Structure formats: structure tokens, C-alpha cells
Amino acid sequence: MCETQAELARTRFGRAGFDVSRLGLGTYHLTSDRYVSNASARALTSAAIARGINVIDTAPMYGLGEAERIVGEVLKNTKERPNVIGKVGRFEKSILARLAAEAYGDPGLMHAQLDHSLTLLGIDRLPLLLIHETDWAEWGLGDQPEHSPVWAFVEEARRDGRIGAVGLSVRKPAVAAGLAETGLFDAMLFVHYHNVIWQEVATEALAAAHRHDMGVAIGAPFRQGLLVDGSPSAVEALRAQRRAAVPPGVIRRIEMTYDISQQHGMSMVELGLRWLLSDPRVHTTIVGPRSLQELQQNVDFAHAGPLDDNLLEELRLVQQEPLDGQS
């Protein structure tokens, strides 16, 4: 396989001010505690950049800084300059673990975490910094985020030139919509609840982001493996587990989507990724491959582009099944 190929489609990332490839690389799984060696993680990150991915998402908590270090090592050895999305927060899984409770209210400690991230990444400035788990109460954002300690930190880091745009990293739709409506944020990474199964949940959050010209990235598009297999055996296993986060309606939607994927000769991964590529509200989808093979599959699916209108209409009908399984 050639190391380079046709460049992935790119689009403007809202008011964040830079262009992003429609496919981004997440580094959550590229760490030793996810059974991925440093050598494999470097090779995969380098391959992603060579294949046209120009946005890399990372965070201090990913491998307790290991992911940031790996990205930094790759950046030292490439002429390309991908847009690195970094984060502040999740102090309990970072160099500030012992001071985690205090750090959520202390701009000085937030600066210490950012300094460490920039050092590991080998860069002087992050194009985009996200407030990790922005919907956590620990941040104390309330109705006026601009008066919170983290916003004081954000303004100082911007003045110092160490960060560019600022965004949300959220999974609660109502909180995401409310924070987007403040007009303070340039971008949003919305995780877990905008995908081919949960199609309608993020409607208000995405509408608010659009009104404020925010860049929109979708993370964990397959719910960390939940949505990659809808076969009868996988569905039976889900039913047996009786997970509160996967009620009967969700399982039924997975079955329906799997049947559609089979009728069209696609895997659930291809169908789900291309469904997101069909959504004009989404600028980039952050995938988390653990191998070069998975990376190449994702890139190939991205090159295949959006789904056709007839298939999208079939998938829209899946929403008729209530998520909670109640009629």
C-alpha cells in the first residue's frame, strides 16, 4: 500500500479559523494502557497524516500524557503541520492528579497542565483548546461561564498566544446547546450521542452551534465499539447484559441499522461513518483506529463520501423506534 493517496476532503471549521479534513484522528486508544505500543502508535499517527488527515485530537488524560508525547514525536519528523486539538481538565488523570479537586478552580494549575501538554507536543501554541468534559459541574460554569476560573485561564492563555480557538468537549445534549448559545465558544466536540443510532438527540446543540458559526467535531462515533456490530449474536449479547445505557429501543435500532447495512453491502462502520459525512452540520469526525488496517478502512470510507438520498431516508425511518423502547 502506498503511503500517500488522494487528499481527504476539507472544510472550514467554523469561526475556529482553520480548515479541517472531514476525518480526524483521535488518540485515546493510542497508548500502552490500551494495548497499543509506542511504535505502533507513532506509525499509525504518521500514516494518518500521510493519508491527508490534518486534525489530531488528544488530551492530558490519554495515557497520562503518553498520547501527547507520541503526537509530539511524530510532529518532529514530518513537514506537515496538522491542527492539534488539545484539552484542559480531567486533572484526576494527569500530572495534577493529587491536586485534581483544587485544579478545577485554579487558573494557575490549569496553566501548569497546558505548559506540560505543549512541552510533550513540542509546539508553542494549540490551534484549538477544549475544556474537557465541559458539562461537568466541577468547572462551575453555571449560567455565566465567562465569570468562571477556567474562563480566566482561557483569556490569559489567549493573550499569551499559547492557544487559538476555544471549544467545548461535551456529551450532554442540553448542556451543549446551552453553552453553545452563550456565543463564547468557537468549536464543539460532541461525543457519544450523534450517530446513526442516536440521530435526533443532538438536534438543538447542533442548531445552536450553527447559529454561532462554531466548528463541529463528532467524537466516539461508534460509541467505543457498541455500534460496529449489529449481528444477531452481538444483539443477543447486548440483551443479556441489560445495560442501562443501552435500553431495548437502542438495541432495536441497532438491529434495524444492521439489516439496512447488510441490504446495501456495507459494514456498520462504513454506514455509520458515511452517515456522519452526509451531515452538513458536522465538519469533522474523530475516529479512533487501533491499527493501520482500521485506519485505512476509515480513510477508504471517507473517500467513498456521503450516502445517497434514498439510503439516508431509509436510515431516517430508524428514528421511528423510540430510543427507550417504549411506544
Side-chain angles (χ1 to χ4, degrees):
M1 175 78 62
C2 179
E3 280 297 305
T4 60
Q5 60 183 68
E7 189 168 278
L8 290 165
R10 295 188 180 187
T11 190
R12 174 178 171 270
F13 199 45
R15 73 191 219 197
F18 51 86
D19 289 347
V20 291
S21 49
R22 296 298 308 279
L23 194 69
L25 177 68
T27 60
Y28 179 76
H29 293 296
L30 300 184
T31 57
S32 299
D33 62 354
R34 298 288 167 178
Y35 301 103
V36 176
S37 70
N38 281 198
S40 295
R42 284 192 295 269
L44 197 153
T45 304
S46 297
I49 295 171
R51 284 159 174 75
I53 289 176
N54 84 329
V55 56
I56 299 176
D57 173 73
T58 192
M61 74 163 283
Y62 299 171
L64 302 180
E66 187 178 42
E68 292 175 316
R69 177 176 57 77
I70 287 166
V71 172
E73 290 169 353
V74 171
L75 293 180
K76 287 179 184 176
N77 295 294
T78 179
K79 296 179 180 179
E80 302 296 328
R81 281 294 168 259
N83 297 298
V84 178
I85 299 176
K87 301 183 183 73
V88 62
R90 292 307 303 265
F91 302 106
E92 70 283 0
K93 293 187 177 181
S94 78
I95 59 165
L96 296 173
R98 195 169 59 83
L99 302 172
E102 180 182 348
Y104 283 99
D106 187 333
L109 291 175
M110 297 175 202
H111 281 293
Q113 189 187 56
L114 175 60
D115 288 343
H116 189 242
S117 292
L118 292 173
T119 298
L120 292 175
L121 291 165
I123 58 179
D124 298 322
R125 177 181 180 273
L126 279 169
L128 172 60
L129 178 75
L130 305 179
I131 300 173
H132 207 166
E133 311 287 8
T134 324
D135 39 16
W136 279 19
E138 284 86 341
W139 288 114
L141 298 179
D143 296 329
Q144 296 181 306
E146 66 272 26
H147 298 309
S148 64
V150 70
W151 200 255
F153 153 75
V154 161
E155 290 184 328
E156 291 169 2
R158 272 180 160 167
R159 282 197 301 269
D160 293 344
R162 294 187 299 150
I163 64 172
V166 176
L168 311 168
S169 172
V170 289
R171 69 182 69 192
K172 296 178 182 177
V175 176
L179 289 171
E181 286 290 14
T182 66
L184 293 171
F185 299 95
D186 305 307
M188 173 171 64
L189 173 64
F190 190 78
V191 300
H192 289 311
Y193 291 107
H194 185 60
N195 51 55
V196 72
I197 302 301
W198 282 270
Q199 295 183 31
E200 70 275 37
V201 173
T203 299
E204 289 303 317
L206 293 174
H210 178 73
R211 281 191 289 273
H212 294 278
D213 191 27
M214 294 171 66
V216 174
I218 298 299
F222 310 115
R223 286 293 304 273
Q224 297 190 346
L226 175 66
L227 308 183
V228 302
D229 186 1
S231 64
S233 60
V235 166
E236 277 308 305
L238 280 176
R239 287 200 172 101
Q241 292 168 11
R242 297 179 178 273
R243 292 161 58 183
V246 191
V250 168
I251 295 175
R252 178 60 187 140
R253 285 191 181 194
I254 292 173
E255 285 184 303
M256 295 166 70
T257 304
Y258 175 76
D259 289 343
I260 293 171
S261 74
Q262 295 302 289
Q263 292 165 15
H264 290 269
M266 296 184 191
S267 66
M268 289 274 285
V269 172
E270 178 178 2
L271 190 72
L273 182 53
R274 293 179 63 191
W275 182 84
L276 285 166
L277 291 170
S278 305
D279 189 339
R281 302 169 298 178
V282 174
H283 301 115
T284 188
T285 299
I286 308 296
V287 294
R290 302 188 197 201
S291 68
L292 289 171
Q293 180 182 9
E294 288 182 1
L295 170 66
Q296 188 61 51
Q297 287 176 342
N298 286 325
V299 170
D300 289 343
F301 297 152
H303 279 300
L307 301 172
D308 66 53
D309 290 342
N310 291 332
L311 179 47
L312 287 171
E313 182 57 33
E314 286 185 61
L315 291 168
R316 271 191 284 272
L317 295 177
V318 172
Q319 297 178 68
Q320 295 179 359
E321 177 68 32
L323 279 167
D324 62 2
Q326 304 300 315
S327 303

